[in-house]
Amino acid sequence: MSKKIGFAAAIAALLALVVMCHAGGAFLQEKIIGDKEVSGKANKGTDGEVVVIDPGHGGMDGGKVGANGVEEKEVNLKISLSIKKLLEKEGIQVIMTRTDDERLADNQVGDLKARVDIMNKNNPELVVSIHQNSYHEESVRGAQVFYYGDSKEGKEAAVIIQEALKEVDTENTKEAKANNTYYILKKTKVPVVIAECGFLSNYEEAQKLADEAYQQELAAAVAKGILQYMESR
Ligand SMILES: [Zn+2]
């Protein structure tokens, strides 16, 4: 008789354990799903995944003028708008310093200050400023990415974006380079790089930089580099 009671008690205890495990499992499952939802939101850019894209120059300030007459400000804006589209497809929130042919102030210092304000106040993971280069020797060519020498994040992003740009132009041997004098690199409190996508002083490269398909290729490379940098954080 007492054996039977013992047996019944054991069964009851086992049942209680099963019920508890089930409840615990459901709780755990809910927690995991809950966490997934939170990280899903982060991927949609609502949890600090902000990137600022800065198309250099604009309005009265045309920037460099190409050997073929193309204006830097125009090339910068086209590449930047394409980068914006590509990043937004990946759920990243993109803030532009300009989306039109405009200057942000009456003078160059005011314009740069206004850009730096936008960069700092939005606390982005990365700022990418898009420019085109120029040199007195026509033969010099190839994209190059600059970063502030004291910024570890800036250097990491610059190296990754430089590599991505070299895949578009396999003859380019340039490396990411530190620069502590550019206003935007100096004054921005968040990680920032300047991507000089090519030399407008080189006729052949200027022709490519004015071409929409090539602009798209450059934008895809910069966007890929930005995503890779963000994944590595
Ligand atoms: Zn420029």
Side-chain angles (χ1 to χ4, degrees):
M1 194 68 162
S2 70
K3 245 189 193 172
K4 260 190 185 167
I5 290 168
F7 185 65
I11 292 285
L14 206 65
L15 273 173
L17 197 70
V18 167
V19 169
M20 272 164 66
C21 281
H22 190 75
F27 170 73
L28 205 66
Q29 201 177 17
E30 207 171 85
K31 177 141 176 52
I32 290 164
I33 290 168
D35 287 348
K36 255 191 198 153
E37 272 172 6
V38 170
S39 67
K41 268 183 198 154
N43 290 339
K44 285 188 190 103
T46 54
D47 192 29
E49 287 206 316
V50 176
V51 168
V52 172
I53 302 294
D54 172 43
H57 314 283
M60 273 179 59
D61 171 16
K64 314 265 164 58
V65 179
N68 57 353
V70 72
E71 282 188 291
E72 184 192 348
K73 64 173 183 178
E74 210 177 295
V75 178
N76 295 343
L77 184 59
K78 290 219 176 113
I79 294 171
S80 297
L81 288 171
S82 297
I83 296 170
K84 177 183 192 277
K85 257 192 210 159
L86 292 166
L87 291 179
E88 282 176 346
K89 260 192 213 161
E90 300 299 321
I92 290 161
Q93 192 189 336
V94 179
I95 291 159
M96 306 283 291
T97 54
R98 68 176 176 103
T99 52
D100 284 311
D101 181 16
E102 58 171 355
R103 209 181 195 190
L104 306 192
D106 296 339
N107 56 68
Q108 202 188 7
V109 176
D111 174 72
L112 289 173
K113 266 190 183 166
R115 288 170 198 258
V116 168
D117 276 352
I118 293 170
M119 295 167 190
N120 286 336
K121 113 179 150 206
N122 286 289
N123 197 32
E125 281 202 43
L126 185 65
V127 176
V128 179
S129 187
I130 300 293
H131 284 259
Q132 312 306 317
N133 224 330
S134 179
Y135 199 60
H136 57 85
E137 282 173 44
E138 207 258 340
S139 61
V140 176
R141 43 163 296 147
Q144 189 162 30
V145 186
F146 295 88
Y147 59 94
Y148 190 63
D150 297 338
S151 170
K152 188 173 156 276
E153 291 92 346
K155 184 179 182 179
E156 272 175 37
V159 168
I160 292 171
I161 295 169
Q162 179 76 52
E163 287 314 305
L165 282 166
K166 278 161 95 167
E167 284 171 24
V168 177
D169 175 10
T170 49
E171 284 168 40
N172 183 9
T173 55
K174 289 195 165 10
E175 300 294 342
K177 197 175 173 185
N179 179 297
N180 285 7
T181 59
Y182 288 156
Y183 186 89
I184 280 181
L185 295 180
K186 250 184 359 190
K187 300 287 182 186
T188 308
K189 293 187 186 108
V190 293
V192 53
V193 300
I194 296 178
E196 302 266 9
C197 299
F199 280 79
L200 284 172
S201 43
N202 178 289
Y203 185 81
E204 203 187 313
E205 197 164 35
Q207 288 289 76
K208 282 163 77 182
L209 290 168
D211 175 65
E212 216 160 294
Y214 190 71
Q215 291 167 353
Q216 288 277 349
E217 273 186 75
L218 291 169
V222 174
K224 184 181 141 193
I226 293 170
L227 290 168
Q228 217 177 310
Y229 166 77
M230 289 173 84
E231 276 164 23
S232 76
R233 304 303 304 158

